[in-house]
Amino acid sequence: MTNNLLVLQSDFGLVDGAVAAMFGVALQESAELEIHNLTHDITPYNIFEASYRLFQTVEYWPQGTTFVSVVDPGVGSKRKSVVALTESNQFIVTPDNGTLSYIKNHVGIKAIREISEVKNRRQNTEYSYTFHGRDVYAYTGAKLASGHITFEEVGPELSVDDIVELPEVATRIEDETVFGAIDILDVRFGSLWTSIKREEFYTLAPEFGDRFEVTIYNNDMLVYQNQVTYGKSFADVRIGQPILYINSLYRLGLAINQGSFAKAYNVGVGSNWRIEIRRIA
């Protein structure tokens, strides 16, 4: 069922040897593996971001691909190490610390197993407590991706209902206004990706060229309020002007044409960053 494809994600960065060590462990298990990077620039300790980047990526990989995601501020604690089998027949090797939230809710998980560290941990690493990315996750991911173990051999089955989940902000619609949160950034370009789905925004019956009042709060503090054009793509407004658009994940985005909205208005992400989109009469 696996296909020799192994995709790695972490918050380790590339400034030292951590990622290279994960590659090496995987290739020691099987030199036939094709190893790819999703990203290693997850904001340190940001489990929500890790969860979102998996959701952003997994559907574009073939069935049977194995993903290893290591954003693990609780490394060495009692949090479980698991492998999830998704509804799209892919495997995700990760701590059960909330990383699987978006996959469970927006892709679907068929089954989940706890990694048995008796069988599926590198030998002679039992006294190393802080690099499970190398000793448990990359190792188990490589064994699974190469077909050296089956999903059933990962370890005991757990209940999908018991997966640790991070809270998501539910979209609210009332009085010609859609309320949501700023989930994440399109990091390099500074665009805001909201929690508001295309079909939720479309309850306001938008047409390209329509203007909406956009309000952003950080908790109760007003950060931004302006009228913004809804467009098909960034070039629908002048350079330096803001635009509402539907992003590649069919979520509502907010950008500045050839500029960074996040930097221009010092906007962050997370459930405390709320956004309101109101139709202008």
Side-chain angles (χ1 to χ4, degrees), residues 53-73:
R53 295 307 180 200
L54 285 170
F55 160 65
Q56 182 185 351
T57 306
V58 296
E59 71 172 293
Y60 305 106
W61 285 80
Q63 291 193 23
T65 300
T66 300
F67 295 84
V68 171
S69 179
V70 190
V71 177
D72 192 16

Side-chain angles (χ1 to χ4, degrees), residues 31-100:
E32 304 301 315
L33 289 173
E34 293 184 31
I35 308 177
H36 303 268
N37 293 318
L38 193 161
T39 180
H40 296 289
D41 286 326
I42 298 292
T43 303
Y45 319 120
N46 194 320
I47 297 167
F48 182 93
E49 190 176 330
S51 181
Y52 200 99
R53 295 307 180 200
L54 285 170
F55 160 65
Q56 182 185 351
T57 306
V58 296
E59 71 172 293
Y60 305 106
W61 285 80
Q63 291 193 23
T65 300
T66 300
F67 295 84
V68 171
S69 179
V70 190
V71 177
D72 192 16
V75 63
S77 70
K78 292 182 178 180
R79 62 91 186 96
K80 292 181 172 67
S81 299
V82 298
V83 179
L85 171 61
T86 72
E87 290 287 353
S88 49
N89 293 319
Q90 296 162 324
F91 299 96
I92 301 175
V93 185
T94 188
D96 181 26
N97 60 3
T99 298
L100 292 170

Side-chain angles (χ1 to χ4, degrees), residues 177-180 213-217 274-278:
T177 305
V178 178
F179 301 82
E213 184 180 81
V214 176
T215 307
I216 297 173
Y217 295 94
R274 302 298 177 115
I275 186 167
E276 302 175 6
I277 314 294
R278 182 177 68 84

